[in-house]
Amino acid sequence: IGLDDVKKQILDHTALVKLNSIRAAKGLHNRMPPMHMVFTGNPGTGKTTVAQMVGRVFHSLGILSKGGVIVTERSKLVGRYIGDTENNMQALLELAKGNVLFIDEAYNLYDGGDTKKDYGHRVIESLLTVLSQKNPDLIVILAGYEKEMMNMLETNPGMKGRFPYHFHFEDYNADELLQIAHKSLSRMEYVLTPQADKRLEETIAEVVANKDAFFHNARWVEQYIENGILTAMSKRLAGLAMCVEDKSLYQTIEAEDVENAYRLMKPQTTEKKPAYRRIGSVA
């Protein structure tokens, strides 16, 4: 659902990779483009899902031997003592071989400060060694908020040159989030009454109209459904006997379920900050 620009960019990129793969197989001169990518956007905009698709596509093209996705972040990479980070990276790169290595909130690895006080730069050094290889059987995707990611790459030319492909994931609009909600409920075999569907549409539209810069998009919708609407429904049905034969009672979401969930799950628009630290100087 949505992500039209990202889909087009990915298809264009894979078309070029496919062309060079065919030329190589036929003994023709080819120049395989760099594979490593930067995904920017807010949480819940589909970055990890698209990374999984990238893994499958590039495996089908013969670029990756496995095609899975290994997801990690700073807390899993940076050790407390000298040598820990290098050991962590060696183990991770071995695990990621043949797959996509997806590093979330990658801007946390580098703050432009004194590298002696922080081991995040050791992760980058290990990555640069792999990124310099011609055919590493690995695609690295760095992901995070756009401003912080761009600042990190600008202050680290060695990284920027090895990640020429930048895909930006826009926030979902209200209609797209409603489609995501409908798809999720349908997959779990739930049915909305017309009144419940109308209230769901209204609440999602209200949330999107008042969202802040760190809105969690599809992730919020999933939590709204699973931790809000379905919990409210379960409370409403708690008094019914398990022997009730009409299974539609256990499938049908009422407007009151949506309303009760919204009172609890409506996002607060208090200011949030990305984890760890911001990149760059503060005036």
Side-chain angles (χ1 to χ4, degrees):
I1 296 171
L3 304 178
D4 292 339
D5 289 342
V6 170
K7 291 174 184 174
K8 183 180 183 304
Q9 286 180 283
I10 293 288
L11 287 172
D12 290 346
H13 180 51
T14 54
L16 180 58
V17 172
K18 185 175 182 180
L19 171 64
N20 280 279
S21 295
I22 294 173
R23 287 179 59 86
K26 295 183 179 298
L28 297 171
H29 176 269
N30 71 92
R31 184 178 180 182
M32 191 64 73
M35 304 296 170
H36 311 297
M37 309 171 186
V38 173
F39 287 1
T40 61
N42 286 334
T45 49
K47 296 187 294 295
T48 307
T49 300
V50 172
Q52 293 169 343
M53 296 177 180
V54 167
R56 292 195 294 269
V57 169
F58 281 87
H59 173 61
S60 72
L61 295 174
I63 304 300
L64 295 175
S65 59
K66 298 177 183 176
V69 177
I70 307 299
V71 179
T72 191
E73 59 186 15
R74 176 191 166 90
S75 64
K76 299 176 183 178
L77 301 176
V78 178
R80 296 180 59 187
Y81 303 105
I82 294 176
D84 286 352
T85 301
E86 290 84 349
N87 291 336
N88 291 343
M89 283 302 298
Q90 183 177 356
L92 177 67
L93 292 172
E94 184 63 30
L95 177 66
K97 191 173 181 62
N99 299 302
V100 171
L101 175 59
F102 184 90
I103 304 179
D104 201 13
E105 296 184 337
Y107 49 81
N108 287 331
L109 296 173
Y110 182 76
D111 70 347
D114 186 354
T115 58
K116 294 180 180 179
K117 298 180 180 179
D118 183 78
Y119 294 134
H121 72 286
R122 299 292 190 188
V123 175
I124 294 176
E125 289 173 357
S126 297
L127 284 176
L128 289 175
T129 300
V130 174
L131 297 174
S132 64
Q133 299 174 13
K134 187 174 181 180
N135 297 302
D137 193 18
L138 173 70
I139 294 177
V140 178
I141 297 179
L142 305 181
Y145 292 111
E146 183 174 30
K147 181 180 178 181
E148 284 76 12
M149 288 298 301
M150 293 300 99
N151 283 340
M152 184 195 80
L153 293 174
E154 288 295 335
T155 54
N156 193 324
M159 290 286 281
K160 184 178 181 181
R162 290 174 171 83
F163 289 88
Y165 291 96
H166 172 200
F167 302 96
H168 182 65
F169 291 65
E170 297 286 350
D171 282 357
Y172 289 109
N173 61 37
D175 289 339
E176 291 167 340
L177 290 176
L178 183 61
Q179 290 180 54
I180 291 171
H182 284 160
K183 186 174 182 179
S184 177
L185 289 169
S186 176
R187 184 171 58 247
M188 294 186 289
E189 298 184 279
Y190 286 98
V191 178
L192 293 155
T193 65
Q195 296 79 8
D197 195 16
K198 183 175 185 298
R199 189 59 186 134
L200 179 63
E201 180 179 2
E202 291 170 347
T203 56
I204 289 176
E206 182 177 335
V207 167
V208 171
N210 295 284
K211 68 181 181 180
D212 60 20
F214 302 98
F215 178 54
H216 282 204
N217 290 277
R219 195 174 301 169
W220 177 81
V221 168
E222 291 173 0
Q223 293 172 347
Y224 184 29
I225 291 172
E226 295 181 11
N227 301 335
I229 294 173
L230 299 186
T231 297
M233 178 184 175
S234 68
K235 289 180 180 179
R236 176 172 57 82
L237 298 176
L240 293 179
M242 292 296 293
C243 61
V244 174
E245 294 184 2
D246 186 1
K247 72 176 184 180
S248 67
L249 286 173
Y250 301 97
Q251 293 179 285
T252 305
I253 296 170
E254 302 285 352
E256 64 182 277
D257 301 328
V258 179
E259 187 61 42
N260 290 334
Y262 189 54
R263 291 195 190 103
L264 295 174
M265 302 293 294
K266 182 179 180 180
Q268 301 298 315
T269 55
T270 53
E271 182 179 357
K272 300 177 184 177
K273 296 181 180 179
Y276 187 55
R277 54 168 73 91
R278 289 184 180 275
I279 306 300
S281 61
V282 178

PDB file of all heavy atoms in Angstrom, residues 15-30 32 61 63:
ATOM      1  N   ALA A  15      16.295  -3.156 -12.359  1.00  0.00           N
ATOM      2  CA  ALA A  15      16.364  -3.344 -13.816  1.00  0.00           C
ATOM      3  C   ALA A  15      17.801  -3.180 -14.299  1.00  0.00           C
ATOM      4  O   ALA A  15      18.276  -3.942 -15.158  1.00  0.00           O
ATOM      5  CB  ALA A  15      15.445  -2.351 -14.524  1.00  0.00           C
ATOM      6  N   LEU A  16      18.511  -2.190 -13.741  1.00  0.00           N
ATOM      7  CA  LEU A  16      19.907  -1.972 -14.117  1.00  0.00           C
ATOM      8  C   LEU A  16      20.782  -3.138 -13.656  1.00  0.00           C
ATOM      9  O   LEU A  16      21.658  -3.598 -14.397  1.00  0.00           O
ATOM     10  CB  LEU A  16      20.407  -0.664 -13.510  1.00  0.00           C
ATOM     11  CG  LEU A  16      21.857  -0.275 -13.806  1.00  0.00           C
ATOM     12  CD1 LEU A  16      22.098  -0.162 -15.309  1.00  0.00           C
ATOM     13  CD2 LEU A  16      22.210   1.037 -13.105  1.00  0.00           C
ATOM     14  N   VAL A  17      20.521  -3.629 -12.456  1.00  0.00           N
ATOM     15  CA  VAL A  17      21.272  -4.774 -11.942  1.00  0.00           C
ATOM     16  C   VAL A  17      21.028  -6.000 -12.816  1.00  0.00           C
ATOM     17  O   VAL A  17      21.957  -6.739 -13.156  1.00  0.00           O
ATOM     18  CB  VAL A  17      20.872  -5.063 -10.480  1.00  0.00           C
ATOM     19  CG1 VAL A  17      21.495  -6.372 -10.005  1.00  0.00           C
ATOM     20  CG2 VAL A  17      21.312  -3.924  -9.573  1.00  0.00           C
ATOM     21  N   LYS A  18      19.784  -6.208 -13.209  1.00  0.00           N
ATOM     22  CA  LYS A  18      19.440  -7.360 -14.049  1.00  0.00           C
ATOM     23  C   LYS A  18      20.146  -7.281 -15.397  1.00  0.00           C
ATOM     24  O   LYS A  18      20.669  -8.277 -15.908  1.00  0.00           O
ATOM     25  CB  LYS A  18      17.931  -7.421 -14.247  1.00  0.00           C
ATOM     26  CG  LYS A  18      17.476  -8.654 -15.019  1.00  0.00           C
ATOM     27  CD  LYS A  18      15.953  -8.724 -15.086  1.00  0.00           C
ATOM     28  CE  LYS A  18      15.504  -9.979 -15.826  1.00  0.00           C
ATOM     29  NZ  LYS A  18      14.026 -10.076 -15.898  1.00  0.00           N
ATOM     30  N   LEU A  19      20.171  -6.087 -15.984  1.00  0.00           N
ATOM     31  CA  LEU A  19      20.852  -5.896 -17.264  1.00  0.00           C
ATOM     32  C   LEU A  19      22.317  -6.282 -17.163  1.00  0.00           C
ATOM     33  O   LEU A  19      22.851  -7.008 -18.015  1.00  0.00           O
ATOM     34  CB  LEU A  19      20.722  -4.448 -17.723  1.00  0.00           C
ATOM     35  CG  LEU A  19      21.560  -4.042 -18.951  1.00  0.00           C
ATOM     36  CD1 LEU A  19      21.115  -4.820 -20.191  1.00  0.00           C
ATOM     37  CD2 LEU A  19      21.461  -2.541 -19.193  1.00  0.00           C
ATOM     38  N   ASN A  20      22.991  -5.800 -16.111  1.00  0.00           N
ATOM     39  CA  ASN A  20      24.416  -6.103 -15.958  1.00  0.00           C
ATOM     40  C   ASN A  20      24.654  -7.576 -15.651  1.00  0.00           C
ATOM     41  O   ASN A  20      25.671  -8.144 -16.057  1.00  0.00           O
ATOM     42  CB  ASN A  20      25.011  -5.213 -14.865  1.00  0.00           C
ATOM     43  CG  ASN A  20      25.317  -3.815 -15.354  1.00  0.00           C
ATOM     44  OD1 ASN A  20      26.342  -3.562 -15.977  1.00  0.00           O
ATOM     45  ND2 ASN A  20      24.407  -2.897 -15.093  1.00  0.00           N
ATOM     46  N   SER A  21      23.709  -8.211 -14.937  1.00  0.00           N
ATOM     47  CA  SER A  21      23.839  -9.641 -14.660  1.00  0.00           C
ATOM     48  C   SER A  21      23.765 -10.449 -15.948  1.00  0.00           C
ATOM     49  O   SER A  21      24.540 -11.393 -16.161  1.00  0.00           O
ATOM     50  CB  SER A  21      22.732 -10.089 -13.695  1.00  0.00           C
ATOM     51  OG  SER A  21      22.877  -9.474 -12.436  1.00  0.00           O
ATOM     52  N   ILE A  22      22.842 -10.081 -16.824  1.00  0.00           N
ATOM     53  CA  ILE A  22      22.690 -10.778 -18.101  1.00  0.00           C
ATOM     54  C   ILE A  22      23.921 -10.561 -18.978  1.00  0.00           C
ATOM     55  O   ILE A  22      24.435 -11.505 -19.608  1.00  0.00           O
ATOM     56  CB  ILE A  22      21.419 -10.299 -18.825  1.00  0.00           C
ATOM     57  CG1 ILE A  22      20.175 -10.723 -18.035  1.00  0.00           C
ATOM     58  CG2 ILE A  22      21.362 -10.857 -20.243  1.00  0.00           C
ATOM     59  CD1 ILE A  22      18.880 -10.148 -18.570  1.00  0.00           C
ATOM     60  N   ARG A  23      24.411  -9.324 -19.017  1.00  0.00           N
ATOM     61  CA  ARG A  23      25.611  -9.032 -19.816  1.00  0.00           C
ATOM     62  C   ARG A  23      26.814  -9.824 -19.308  1.00  0.00           C
ATOM     63  O   ARG A  23      27.604 -10.333 -20.107  1.00  0.00           O
ATOM     64  CB  ARG A  23      25.903  -7.531 -19.778  1.00  0.00           C
ATOM     65  CG  ARG A  23      24.920  -6.697 -20.616  1.00  0.00           C
ATOM     66  CD  ARG A  23      25.255  -5.207 -20.513  1.00  0.00           C
ATOM     67  NE  ARG A  23      26.608  -4.907 -20.975  1.00  0.00           N
ATOM     68  CZ  ARG A  23      26.948  -4.668 -22.246  1.00  0.00           C
ATOM     69  NH1 ARG A  23      26.015  -4.691 -23.195  1.00  0.00           N
ATOM     70  NH2 ARG A  23      28.194  -4.398 -22.575  1.00  0.00           N
ATOM     71  N   ALA A  24      26.930  -9.929 -17.969  1.00  0.00           N
ATOM     72  CA  ALA A  24      28.046 -10.695 -17.403  1.00  0.00           C
ATOM     73  C   ALA A  24      27.937 -12.161 -17.793  1.00  0.00           C
ATOM     74  O   ALA A  24      28.939 -12.808 -18.132  1.00  0.00           O
ATOM     75  CB  ALA A  24      28.058 -10.535 -15.881  1.00  0.00           C
ATOM     76  N   ALA A  25      26.708 -12.706 -17.747  1.00  0.00           N
ATOM     77  CA  ALA A  25      26.507 -14.109 -18.092  1.00  0.00           C
ATOM     78  C   ALA A  25      26.833 -14.393 -19.551  1.00  0.00           C
ATOM     79  O   ALA A  25      27.220 -15.511 -19.907  1.00  0.00           O
ATOM     80  CB  ALA A  25      25.063 -14.510 -17.784  1.00  0.00           C
ATOM     81  N   LYS A  26      26.696 -13.381 -20.417  1.00  0.00           N
ATOM     82  CA  LYS A  26      26.965 -13.548 -21.841  1.00  0.00           C
ATOM     83  C   LYS A  26      28.375 -13.122 -22.223  1.00  0.00           C
ATOM     84  O   LYS A  26      28.720 -13.047 -23.409  1.00  0.00           O
ATOM     85  CB  LYS A  26      25.937 -12.756 -22.658  1.00  0.00           C
ATOM     86  CG  LYS A  26      24.515 -13.288 -22.494  1.00  0.00           C
ATOM     87  CD  LYS A  26      23.536 -12.529 -23.364  1.00  0.00           C
ATOM     88  CE  LYS A  26      22.124 -13.091 -23.215  1.00  0.00           C
ATOM     89  NZ  LYS A  26      22.033 -14.502 -23.647  1.00  0.00           N
ATOM     90  N   GLY A  27      29.192 -12.827 -21.217  1.00  0.00           N
ATOM     91  CA  GLY A  27      30.579 -12.466 -21.478  1.00  0.00           C
ATOM     92  C   GLY A  27      30.770 -11.056 -21.986  1.00  0.00           C
ATOM     93  O   GLY A  27      31.846 -10.721 -22.499  1.00  0.00           O
ATOM     94  N   LEU A  28      29.769 -10.206 -21.842  1.00  0.00           N
ATOM     95  CA  LEU A  28      29.864  -8.813 -22.292  1.00  0.00           C
ATOM     96  C   LEU A  28      30.385  -7.932 -21.168  1.00  0.00           C
ATOM     97  O   LEU A  28      30.227  -8.234 -19.981  1.00  0.00           O
ATOM     98  CB  LEU A  28      28.495  -8.302 -22.743  1.00  0.00           C
ATOM     99  CG  LEU A  28      27.871  -9.022 -23.942  1.00  0.00           C
ATOM    100  CD1 LEU A  28      26.433  -8.564 -24.138  1.00  0.00           C
ATOM    101  CD2 LEU A  28      28.704  -8.749 -25.199  1.00  0.00           C
ATOM    102  N   HIS A  29      31.000  -6.814 -21.572  1.00  0.00           N
ATOM    103  CA  HIS A  29      31.492  -5.865 -20.575  1.00  0.00           C
ATOM    104  C   HIS A  29      30.312  -5.358 -19.750  1.00  0.00           C
ATOM    105  O   HIS A  29      29.241  -5.032 -20.273  1.00  0.00           O
ATOM    106  CB  HIS A  29      32.183  -4.686 -21.255  1.00  0.00           C
ATOM    107  CG  HIS A  29      32.634  -3.627 -20.276  1.00  0.00           C
ATOM    108  ND1 HIS A  29      31.840  -2.566 -19.919  1.00  0.00           N
ATOM    109  CD2 HIS A  29      33.789  -3.501 -19.584  1.00  0.00           C
ATOM    110  CE1 HIS A  29      32.482  -1.814 -19.047  1.00  0.00           C
ATOM    111  NE2 HIS A  29      33.680  -2.370 -18.836  1.00  0.00           N
ATOM    112  N   ASN A  30      30.493  -5.307 -18.444  1.00  0.00           N
ATOM    113  CA  ASN A  30      29.426  -4.788 -17.583  1.00  0.00           C
ATOM    114  C   ASN A  30      30.042  -4.087 -16.392  1.00  0.00           C
ATOM    115  O   ASN A  30      31.178  -4.361 -16.000  1.00  0.00           O
ATOM    116  CB  ASN A  30      28.514  -5.918 -17.109  1.00  0.00           C
ATOM    117  CG  ASN A  30      29.199  -6.817 -16.096  1.00  0.00           C
ATOM    118  OD1 ASN A  30      29.100  -6.602 -14.889  1.00  0.00           O
ATOM    119  ND2 ASN A  30      29.919  -7.842 -16.581  1.00  0.00           N
ATOM    120  N   MET A  32      28.661  -3.422 -12.707  1.00  0.00           N
ATOM    121  CA  MET A  32      27.587  -3.604 -11.743  1.00  0.00           C
ATOM    122  C   MET A  32      27.503  -2.386 -10.824  1.00  0.00           C
ATOM    123  O   MET A  32      28.497  -1.985 -10.234  1.00  0.00           O
ATOM    124  CB  MET A  32      27.823  -4.859 -10.908  1.00  0.00           C
ATOM    125  CG  MET A  32      26.634  -5.261 -10.062  1.00  0.00           C
ATOM    126  SD  MET A  32      25.192  -5.732 -11.051  1.00  0.00           S
ATOM    127  CE  MET A  32      25.707  -7.332 -11.673  1.00  0.00           C
ATOM    128  N   LEU A  61      18.054 -12.559  -8.526  1.00  0.00           N
ATOM    129  CA  LEU A  61      18.960 -12.102  -9.579  1.00  0.00           C
ATOM    130  C   LEU A  61      20.357 -12.705  -9.442  1.00  0.00           C
ATOM    131  O   LEU A  61      21.232 -12.444 -10.275  1.00  0.00           O
ATOM    132  CB  LEU A  61      19.067 -10.572  -9.568  1.00  0.00           C
ATOM    133  CG  LEU A  61      17.785  -9.801  -9.918  1.00  0.00           C
ATOM    134  CD1 LEU A  61      18.003  -8.305  -9.733  1.00  0.00           C
ATOM    135  CD2 LEU A  61      17.352 -10.098 -11.352  1.00  0.00           C
ATOM    136  N   ILE A  63      22.494 -12.071  -7.028  1.00  0.00           N
ATOM    137  CA  ILE A  63      23.431 -11.150  -6.370  1.00  0.00           C
ATOM    138  C   ILE A  63      23.681 -11.583  -4.930  1.00  0.00           C
ATOM    139  O   ILE A  63      24.788 -11.461  -4.418  1.00  0.00           O
ATOM    140  CB  ILE A  63      22.883  -9.709  -6.407  1.00  0.00           C
ATOM    141  CG1 ILE A  63      22.599  -9.281  -7.855  1.00  0.00           C
ATOM    142  CG2 ILE A  63      23.855  -8.750  -5.741  1.00  0.00           C
ATOM    143  CD1 ILE A  63      23.795  -9.311  -8.757  1.00  0.00           C
TER     144      ILE A  63
END
